[in-house]
Amino acid sequence: MRQITVTEHLLLHQKKSPAATGTFTHLLNDLILAAKLINRSVNKAGLLDILGGTGEMNVQGEAVQKLDDYANRALIHRMERSGALCALASEENADFIPVPQKFTRGDYILIFDPLDGSSNIDVNINVGTIFSILRRKSPSDQDVSYDDILQPGVEQVAAGYFLYGPSTMLVYTTGLGVHGFTLDPTVGEFLLSHPNMRIKERGKYYSINEGNHHYWDESTQKAVGYFKGKDNGLGAPYSLRYVGSLVADFHRTLLYGGIFMYPMDYKQPDKPRGKLRLMCEASPLAFVAEQAGGAASDGRRRILEIEPQALHERVPLFIGSKEDVASAIGYYR
Ligand code: AHG
Ligand code: MN
Ligand code: MN
């Protein structure tokens, strides 16, 4: 296959995509550099003092893994110097981070989950980085406020993820389809490997943490029962696949079709909204899913239309093949 880099691919889109400005290309290339640093640490995690926890708890009330912390610092350090951003917001930081005055600033905002799938780091299972790029709404000479940050997913300029695994991939969209790149470690470049990714209308896999069964409401138990039932009118029960890293479970769903579900549950009474974060997990992956012909819902609303009320707002997530998502959310009407 001809070797097409991300920069070349963006130039090919130059004419059609408002996102593919020179500044945006620079932003994406800085994001790629940060991801290569994270990828290097993920690949050598067992050889570095980077496994295990830091002993701290993050704003989510979750134990911070050393690699979470490393990935977060690597992204903040690299991206605040990109010259393209006015603010960053990380899953690991309580508030958004305005780009310091001493750095050149731009009009883009980066929202990210620096390391997704933290519980899988120490057991050498795929982890990833999820990113969402917005444009500020306020004039460049003003301070960034939460009005610039808390925008619905339809306002995203671009979104995607890095998947660190047997091969390291970048999958992203700027609103002109979904494109996958694979890192060639011998040259250190992400090269186009999956142009114009499309998700099947319906798949054969459902993906959910069945261990939460007794904490689901009746609608969820019926929806899950549909996919694994013999009388689902789909010929055969779906197979269950669940990695426990959202990026890995989503990537498989994108390639093979089917549905990933993380419904709300009553496991932690103070968190009945579901576990996944709207702004740095659900919304960017919803943009990718829809651009590939799929769908993403919280059970009642299209993920991309949800107006965020808080930076770390959590939502239930049903994402994947359009017909499978429609079947699932039919149980919540
Ligand atoms: P993170 O590591 O960024 O906190 O995300 C973990 C998330 C997501 O990757 C995955 O889908 C989900 O947690 C798994 O949750 P359970 O272990 O409750 O199934
Ligand atoms: Mn995550
Ligand atoms: Mn994370």
Side-chain angles (χ1 to χ4, degrees):
M1 172 184 276
R2 208 164 62 79
Q3 295 188 336
I4 296 180
T5 63
V6 175
T7 299
E8 185 182 344
H9 189 261
L10 273 173
L11 287 174
L12 293 174
H13 281 202
Q14 183 80 39
K15 308 170 197 63
K16 292 178 287 182
S17 167
T21 62
T23 307
F24 179 81
T25 304
H26 184 71
L27 165 53
L28 199 51
N29 279 305
D30 272 356
L31 201 50
I32 285 170
L33 176 55
K36 287 178 190 172
L37 293 170
I38 296 167
N39 180 56
R40 183 180 63 182
S41 297
V42 167
N43 290 159
K44 298 198 311 190
L47 301 172
L48 307 169
D49 174 25
I50 203 161
L51 292 177
T54 61
E56 289 141 19
M57 300 294 269
N58 67 8
V59 64
Q60 317 282 347
E62 295 157 343
V64 177
Q65 300 302 311
K66 287 179 185 169
L67 208 53
D68 278 328
D69 192 38
Y70 170 80
N72 196 39
R73 284 185 289 106
L75 276 157
I76 292 171
H77 179 86
R78 174 55 40 214
M79 298 315 293
E80 64 183 0
R81 289 163 174 77
S82 73
L85 299 178
C86 55
L88 305 91
S90 166
E91 175 196 72
E92 299 295 336
N93 295 66
D95 285 317
F96 71 85
I97 303 160
V99 172
Q101 295 281 358
K102 63 183 175 184
F103 296 131
T104 306
R105 300 170 348 137
D107 289 339
Y108 291 110
I109 294 165
L110 175 69
I111 301 176
F112 60 98
D113 176 356
L115 204 94
D116 173 71
S118 310
S119 62
N120 282 326
I121 294 169
D122 293 1
V123 291
N124 196 19
I125 289 175
N126 289 55
V127 292
T129 295
I130 309 171
F131 62 91
S132 169
I133 298 171
L134 297 166
R135 204 189 303 278
R136 71 179 301 168
K137 292 195 303 188
S138 58
S140 307
D141 57 355
Q142 281 181 10
D143 289 343
V144 179
S145 75
Y146 269 107
D147 286 344
D148 292 301
I149 308 285
L150 300 179
Q151 298 184 51
V154 286
E155 296 298 332
Q156 291 175 101
V157 172
Y161 56 86
F162 293 92
L163 179 59
Y164 312 112
S167 63
T168 292
M169 282 193 72
L170 161 64
V171 174
Y172 86 99
T173 182
T174 61
L176 291 168
V178 175
H179 310 284
F181 298 77
T182 299
L183 179 64
D184 177 340
T186 61
V187 292
E189 276 291 348
F190 280 93
L191 301 175
L192 186 64
S193 54
H194 298 68
N196 291 311
M197 299 175 84
R198 302 293 292 171
I199 188 168
K200 289 177 189 143
E201 292 287 300
R202 195 178 273 284
K204 293 185 169 54
Y205 294 100
Y206 77 104
S207 187
I208 192 168
N209 181 344
E210 284 270 9
N212 292 335
H213 177 84
H214 296 297
Y215 301 105
W216 293 331
D217 61 20
E218 194 183 345
S219 301
T220 299
Q221 296 194 347
K222 282 182 180 168
V224 176
Y226 167 77
F227 290 109
K228 60 197 242 187
K230 283 204 297 164
D231 54 354
N232 61 16
L234 301 167
Y238 281 30
S239 288
L240 172 63
R241 291 284 185 280
Y242 195 70
V243 178
S245 294
L246 172 60
V247 176
D249 282 317
F250 176 76
H251 188 67
R252 181 203 54 253
T253 304
L254 182 61
L255 288 169
Y256 284 175
I259 185 169
F260 172 89
M261 298 177 273
Y262 207 109
M264 64 179 250
D265 62 56
Y266 294 94
K267 200 172 189 178
Q268 289 173 286
D270 65 332
K271 282 187 187 166
R273 296 291 302 141
K275 173 174 185 179
L276 300 177
R277 275 70 47 154
L278 171 61
M279 296 211 74
C280 69
E281 291 174 315
S283 192
L285 296 185
F287 190 13
V288 173
E290 290 200 6
Q291 281 291 311
S297 167
D298 72 347
R300 290 176 175 76
R301 299 170 293 176
R302 182 179 169 222
I303 291 288
L304 291 183
E305 290 176 351
I306 298 175
E307 295 275 354
Q309 301 308 308
L311 178 58
H312 298 292
E313 179 170 337
R314 295 168 186 263
V315 287
L317 180 61
F318 301 83
I319 190 167
S321 293
K322 189 176 282 186
E323 290 177 18
D324 288 324
V325 171
S327 298
I329 63 177
Y331 289 94
Y332 295 88
R333 289 230 174 355

